Amino acid sequence: MPDNDKTKQVQALLRPAQLLILIAAILAGILVAQFLTPTVFRASPSDLDRNGYLLDVLASPNHHPEYVVLGNSIAMQGIDTRLLSKDIPGHPLGYNLSSTGQGLTEANMFFTALPDSVETVIHLFYVNQLQGVLVIDEQKLNAMQMFGYRMDQDLKNELIRIYGFNTDELLNQSSAQKAFKSRWALRQASDTLIRDLVRTDRDFDSLRTELYFPSPKSPRLSGKKLRKSYVDTFSKMNKPEFLIYYQGTEHLDSFIKQVKASGRNYIMVVAPLNPAGNEFIPADKLLKATEAITKITQKNDVLLINAIQLLDEKDFFDALHPSVDGAGILTRYIAEQINANAKRYDLKIGNGGEQ
Amino acid sequence: MLFYTPEFLAFSILLLGMLGIFHKSEPRKLILLITSYIFYMWWNPAFILLIIFSTVVDFLIGGRMSDETNKAKRRLLLIASISSNIGMLIFFKYAGLFGDSLLGIMRMMGYEPSWVSLNIILPVGISFYTFQTMSYTIDIYRKEIKATRSRIDFALFVAFFPQLVAGPIVRAAVFLPQLDRGIKISCDQTTFFLIMRGLAKKVLIADNLAIFIDPVFSSPGNWPSVIIWMATIAFAIQIYCDFSGYSDIAIGIARILGFTLPRNFNHPYSARNPSDFWQRWHISLSSWLRDYLYISLGGNRGSAFATYRNLMLTMLIGGLWHGASWNFVLWGLLHGSLLVIHRLYTRMRKKANPEWRAGNDWGTYLISLALMQYFVLLTWIPFRLTGFDAMQVTMRKFVVFDFNFDLTSIGLGNIAFFSTLSLMLIFTVFTIISRRTGHIENYLGQLSTQSAAGVCFVSGIVFYYFWPLSQAPFIYFQF
């Protein structure tokens, strides 16, 4: 198999005008791609598609939820709003707007996009979120922009106040800059498309478009896989730098105040933790985190539903996420707590506690 | 200053503008020399002194050696040149390694030395330009070339910016005569697309593969064999595209300035045996090691044992050339062993049948190709992983396959699995096509301006979407 270079070397020199045409053609390609990026981004499947879908729902005149659930994948798999509505008097319409890795800033952004029909925000808060010192992952921020979200100046100012450092630089990027940084969409699309085909064990459509219980209903892990899930997850949480940062508590406090100032009720649910994690995370760390959360909710006089120790190990399908049975237990517990405390906190959800 | 940064674009425009003002050869050479120094100083201005030192020493020694007829004195001059270059290389590149190793040994023996680890910054490109200047004095000593009398020509030979920091390593016999022809600026369409090809290899393939490779090799124990295999193959492609991409750009830029640089790669992953591989991989270094080290050690002129010893020594030093780390020594040792085993095998077969030659049919071709590339992949593991534990785990998972194909438990979302697989497939298809039909830039060079502009337009779109969000510097800069 010898090398076989059959082509002839062309030595014709490029005239300056020809060279300029070639360079201009490259630049034209770049400009066209930049112009098309928002459209390409929306058309390309990715794990952030749910955010785009939720923003579309919130902007649509056809959706009038009375309450919404915000939170990360634990909320996606842990709270079934159909079940919750059934257990609350008046059976209000509730949407589960949680999304994968939804942090405080993302939840805050969804809150500012809520329609007027929403009277109550149920916020499932994962204790680890108190460790956040970054305002938001840049890719997520760009994705929200590509999906049409525009952050108002008040929220920008508040986030800059809380997170400081380079937050203003990040939040005040031009649309062109954000589009440029969202150009990874095509690569992501190829991964997402093929993964969705191969991973038949997961319901990815539900993850993107389900408004009540976005759980992919994954089968419970067992044996080595479950153990690996524990080690991977809890070891990360139990880093020596597990600290409660000012940014985490300050943003939580600010978020609650924003919800209250909009005339809505805020309900905090502290996400359940898998008891298997006790082996990895010292109890004093969790106690410190829940105390900080309690302090903030008490200060703002909002309902705190502490579900941190609600579930048994068998109620989780992996280290973090409740199984369908676990979700049932958590959802019913939230309904019970809402019903029991409706009058005390003057909750509008569920007829204010009237049967 | 990396070739694909806005600074380099500004640098090139400025250089071409200045060269355009002057039409005589000498001022153009001077401008090219000064801009080459500026290019180098962009990383660390102080290290330009090392290049100037190496230039002055070898220019003076070369000139003196050329005039000298006394063999002993010529030998002394050669020793002085080699000592200054190797001394500089040892100090800046290997002092830390040897110091740390000595420190470790002393601690193992129960002594606690009073000195601490050396922390010496490695000057970029030092391994390339010291080898280049050494070849100049060795060639003069061997009377293969005559010393140049032009200081500027010699300084430009040492510091010519397109290949200064990562090669190809150019011989004086190849470069200096080109300077006599003067610097003529011109660009043909083939050269234009050669630079584009180099850029595409670097940013579209190598940098995109890094997104998959880095997380896998940062914790190899977490991944099954199938992912370790994929990461190893991806690394083989990454390092090839990274380095040969740089070489393509360097050759293209040199061509625009009127210089022809030697080819550095020739489809290395189609090599069928170890010596074939080294005639295809980093050709300018392997031929340097062959001509100046292996042959100087005696080559294959002595006994069989001496030949094997020379091969092992050459590859060990070749490994160490890549970096001050024991994993590169292991890499060199493995390649040296492969060369020795291959020689032994060939010798044994020829002893049994003097007419024996490796078969050229498809079956033999594929078996020898697969076997050779298996070992090439295996040797990339110590090249990529510096930590002994990680290296050992990776090699074990590579050799002893665990047959775990459960895609649900390997965190595919974190490692861009499928897009990496697609990239590897695209690379393979392009390689097979270019091997059978010739390099793509030769075809593109023949297109009409309109068609070429169309290709550029599409390339602009592809570059935009697949240029990674963060770039890494060229891997071979560290050597």
Side-chain angles (χ1 to χ4, degrees):
Chain A
M1 286 274 293
D3 279 340
N4 190 5
D5 200 339
K6 289 174 185 164
T7 50
K8 292 177 202 158
Q9 284 277 344
V10 174
Q11 298 300 335
L13 299 180
L14 286 170
R15 291 191 305 275
Q18 284 174 303
L19 187 62
L20 280 177
I21 287 171
L22 297 187
I23 294 169
I26 296 173
L27 292 175
I30 291 170
L31 282 176
V32 167
Q34 165 84 8
F35 177 74
L36 290 175
T37 295
T39 313
V40 168
F41 192 95
R42 289 189 72 94
S44 306
S46 85
D47 283 348
L48 294 174
D49 278 353
R50 180 169 176 79
N51 288 8
Y53 180 75
L54 295 181
L55 287 171
D56 286 347
V57 165
L58 296 179
S60 159
N62 304 323
H63 293 273
H64 308 284
E66 291 162 70
Y67 73 93
V68 293
V69 173
L70 297 173
N72 61 10
S73 56
I74 302 174
M76 287 172 83
Q77 301 192 128
I79 300 176
D80 178 352
T81 54
R82 275 201 189 97
L83 188 62
L84 187 61
S85 298
K86 213 173 116 189
D87 284 1
I88 293 174
H91 313 304
L93 175 66
Y95 283 174
N96 186 336
L97 304 184
S98 53
S99 57
T100 309
Q102 188 182 100
L104 261 172
T105 302
E106 222 175 329
N108 207 156
M109 288 160 89
F110 278 118
F111 162 72
T112 58
L114 290 179
D116 292 341
S117 62
V118 176
E119 295 176 325
T120 304
V121 172
I122 299 173
H123 185 199
L124 185 126
F125 193 80
Y126 178 44
V127 285
N128 224 25
Q129 286 177 283
L130 288 176
Q131 294 194 92
V133 287
L134 292 173
V135 61
I136 189 173
D137 174 75
E138 192 175 9
Q139 289 194 6
K140 281 193 167 179
L141 181 72
N142 291 340
M144 292 291 272
Q145 168 90 13
M146 293 301 108
F147 290 131
Y149 178 82
R150 297 291 177 269
M151 191 182 284
D152 63 39
Q153 199 54 48
D154 288 347
L155 181 56
K156 266 185 200 170
N157 293 341
E158 187 62 357
L159 294 176
I160 292 165
R161 179 187 72 77
I162 296 167
Y163 290 93
F165 299 111
N166 300 322
T167 309
D168 52 346
E169 209 175 284
L170 181 70
L171 299 182
N172 287 318
Q173 284 180 20
S174 66
S175 301
Q177 278 175 301
K178 283 180 183 153
F180 183 68
K181 288 179 178 172
S182 303
R183 63 187 194 278
W184 52 270
L186 276 182
R187 181 181 175 141
Q188 177 77 14
S190 64
D191 274 313
T192 310
L193 268 174
I194 306 174
R195 183 208 55 195
D196 289 6
L197 287 173
V198 174
R199 293 286 305 271
T200 47
D201 59 314
R202 306 273 285 192
D203 184 356
F204 291 102
D205 283 342
S206 166
L207 272 174
R208 290 185 188 114
T209 57
E210 170 62 46
L211 286 172
Y212 304 98
F213 187 31
S215 160
K217 299 170 185 64
S218 300
R220 190 166 195 274
L221 300 180
S222 59
K224 269 186 182 175
K225 282 185 194 170
L226 185 64
R227 185 74 198 161
K228 185 175 182 292
S229 157
Y230 288 171
V231 173
D232 289 354
T233 309
F234 298 128
S235 305
K236 273 182 212 155
M237 283 175 74
N238 189 30
K239 285 184 295 191
E241 64 268 28
F242 186 102
L243 294 168
I244 296 170
Y245 285 95
Y246 159 83
Q247 286 89 342
T249 51
E250 187 66 14
H251 193 175
L252 185 58
D253 184 49
S254 162
F255 183 45
I256 296 172
K257 285 192 166 74
Q258 287 174 54
V259 177
K260 287 186 77 178
S262 70
R264 295 175 171 113
N265 290 134
Y266 175 94
I267 296 168
M268 154 76 76
V269 180
V270 180
L273 275 183
N274 191 330
N278 297 344
E279 185 189 329
F280 301 85
I281 311 165
D284 60 320
K285 286 185 177 177
L286 295 180
L287 191 67
K288 219 168 109 190
T290 42
E291 273 173 6
I293 295 167
T294 309
K295 213 170 135 189
I296 295 166
T297 50
Q298 279 175 351
K299 193 174 92 180
N300 287 290
D301 194 30
V302 292
L303 173 59
L304 169 72
I305 302 172
N306 190 348
I308 200 159
Q309 289 179 318
L310 180 74
L311 302 182
D312 292 332
E313 194 181 341
K314 65 174 172 43
D315 299 323
F316 289 83
F317 86 84
D318 63 4
L320 284 182
H321 305 100
S323 62
V324 176
D325 289 344
I329 296 169
L330 176 62
T331 304
R332 281 190 198 98
Y333 182 66
I334 294 169
E336 274 169 32
Q337 291 297 309
I338 288 173
N339 293 338
N341 292 285
K343 283 196 175 143
R344 156 72 183 86
Y345 289 99
D346 197 15
L347 300 179
K348 292 167 196 150
I349 188 171
N351 304 337
E354 298 298 330
Q355 294 297 316
Chain B
M1 196 188 303
L2 300 172
F3 283 154
Y4 50 81
T5 54
E7 298 98 79
F8 184 74
L9 189 67
F11 170 87
S12 307
I13 293 167
L14 212 65
L15 170 64
L16 293 175
M18 285 198 295
L19 290 174
I21 297 170
F22 299 96
H23 294 280
K24 286 192 175 166
S25 188
E26 289 311 305
R28 280 189 163 190
K29 284 182 194 171
L30 194 62
I31 288 168
L32 195 51
L33 177 64
I34 293 167
T35 46
S36 292
Y37 283 160
I38 292 170
F39 178 85
Y40 189 78
M41 288 162 74
W42 212 262
W43 276 282
N44 190 330
F47 287 142
I48 195 66
L49 295 173
L50 295 178
I51 291 191
I52 292 172
F53 171 77
S54 189
T55 306
V56 171
V57 167
D58 287 315
F59 179 76
L60 293 175
I61 290 177
R64 188 75 196 278
M65 205 192 294
S66 223
D67 299 335
E68 188 57 65
T69 50
N70 183 308
K71 207 175 170 185
K73 284 186 180 170
R74 285 170 64 84
R75 183 179 278 269
L76 262 178
L77 286 166
L78 179 67
I79 291 169
S81 163
I82 292 175
S83 307
S84 69
N85 282 299
I86 297 285
M88 203 162 75
L89 202 55
I90 286 177
F91 178 76
F92 282 100
K93 199 161 178 174
Y94 304 108
L97 171 71
F98 294 133
D100 286 350
S101 303
L102 191 62
L103 213 64
I105 291 168
M106 289 180 79
R107 280 184 182 145
M108 261 168 54
M109 292 166 72
Y111 297 103
E112 189 51 48
S114 56
W115 81 84
V116 289
S117 296
L118 292 168
N119 188 15
I120 300 165
I121 300 167
L122 178 68
V124 72
I126 190 167
S127 310
F128 290 92
Y129 67 75
T130 48
F131 269 41
Q132 198 157 299
T133 54
M134 268 195 287
S135 76
Y136 171 74
T137 48
I138 298 170
D139 282 349
I140 294 172
Y141 177 77
R142 288 174 174 174
K143 295 186 175 170
E144 285 171 7
I145 59 165
K146 284 202 165 135
T148 176
R149 300 295 166 186
S150 165
R151 291 183 196 92
I152 292 179
D153 281 14
F154 185 71
L156 198 50
F157 159 66
V158 180
F160 184 54
F161 80 87
Q163 45 82 236
L164 172 61
V165 291
I169 300 167
V170 189
R171 311 278 176 93
V174 172
F175 192 83
L176 290 173
Q178 297 189 53
L179 278 173
D180 294 339
R181 296 201 304 262
I183 296 166
K184 292 185 181 67
I185 304 159
S186 63
C187 181
D188 57 65
Q189 204 162 289
T190 307
T191 304
F192 182 85
F193 281 114
L194 172 67
I195 294 172
M196 290 269 285
R197 185 184 76 159
L199 196 60
K201 276 182 183 173
K202 164 66 185 158
V203 295
L204 299 186
I205 300 181
D207 288 354
N208 270 302
L209 287 176
I211 296 168
F212 171 79
I213 296 162
D214 294 347
V216 174
F217 282 146
S218 68
S219 53
N222 290 349
W223 306 97
S225 289
V226 64
I227 298 292
I228 295 292
W229 261 83
M230 198 170 135
T232 310
I233 296 171
F235 178 68
I237 298 172
Q238 182 201 12
I239 193 156
Y240 168 70
C241 287
D242 189 283
F243 193 15
S244 74
Y246 180 89
S247 296
D248 289 345
I249 300 171
I251 291 168
I253 293 169
R255 241 193 241 176
I256 291 173
L257 296 167
F259 296 90
T260 305
L261 299 184
R263 194 178 182 185
N264 221 6
F265 294 90
N266 180 20
H267 300 293
Y269 297 131
S270 58
R272 299 175 56 183
N273 60 57
S275 57
D276 188 18
F277 179 78
W278 284 104
Q279 285 166 34
R280 295 168 178 277
W281 177 268
H282 200 173
I283 299 166
S284 64
L285 173 69
S286 53
S287 61
W288 195 102
L289 291 170
R290 180 196 62 209
D291 295 347
Y292 299 107
L293 188 61
Y294 177 68
I295 289 175
S296 301
L297 288 168
N300 57 4
R301 296 189 298 274
S303 63
F305 173 78
T307 304
Y308 303 145
R309 180 203 61 203
N310 296 341
L311 275 174
M312 286 303 288
L313 271 174
T314 305
M315 293 315 294
L316 270 177
I317 292 170
L320 207 52
W321 176 90
H322 284 83
S325 172
W326 293 111
N327 61 307
F328 290 120
V329 176
L330 177 61
W331 181 73
L333 192 77
L334 288 172
H335 269 287
S337 308
L338 286 177
L339 281 164
V340 169
I341 292 166
H342 177 247
R343 260 187 189 257
L344 275 167
Y345 172 76
T346 312
R347 196 159 167 253
M348 192 185 74
R349 294 295 299 257
K350 287 207 167 177
K351 209 173 172 183
N353 173 14
E355 300 297 309
W356 180 83
R357 284 177 71 101
N360 217 17
D361 58 287
W362 273 102
T364 317
Y365 173 79
L366 287 177
I367 290 168
S368 55
L369 179 76
L371 202 61
M372 180 58 211
Q373 295 310 322
Y374 174 82
F375 286 114
V376 168
L377 290 174
L378 190 65
T379 56
W380 283 132
I381 293 171
F383 194 93
R384 172 61 175 76
L385 289 153
T386 46
F388 180 77
D389 288 344
M391 188 198 304
Q392 183 239 334
V393 166
T394 312
M395 281 185 124
R396 185 166 41 80
K397 288 195 170 192
F398 186 88
V399 176
V400 187
F401 202 85
D402 62 14
F403 293 95
N404 176 4
F405 294 105
D406 182 4
L407 296 180
T408 59
S409 66
I410 52 181
L412 298 182
N414 301 325
I415 52 172
F417 179 82
F418 296 108
S419 54
T420 303
L421 208 59
S422 316
L423 258 177
M424 289 161 70
L425 199 68
I426 290 167
F427 169 82
T428 309
V429 169
F430 266 94
T431 303
I432 292 170
I433 291 173
S434 76
R435 182 133 158 69
R436 295 190 67 81
T437 63
H439 288 294
I440 190 166
E441 71 272 12
N442 293 337
Y443 272 113
L444 298 175
Q446 295 179 65
L447 295 176
S448 66
T449 307
Q450 291 92 323
S451 306
V455 172
C456 287
F457 178 76
V458 174
S459 303
I461 294 176
V462 173
F463 271 111
Y464 176 90
Y465 281 118
F466 294 98
W467 194 296
L469 294 180
S470 61
Q471 292 94 44
F474 289 98
I475 294 174
Y476 262 71
F477 275 20
Q478 63 185 298
F479 306 138

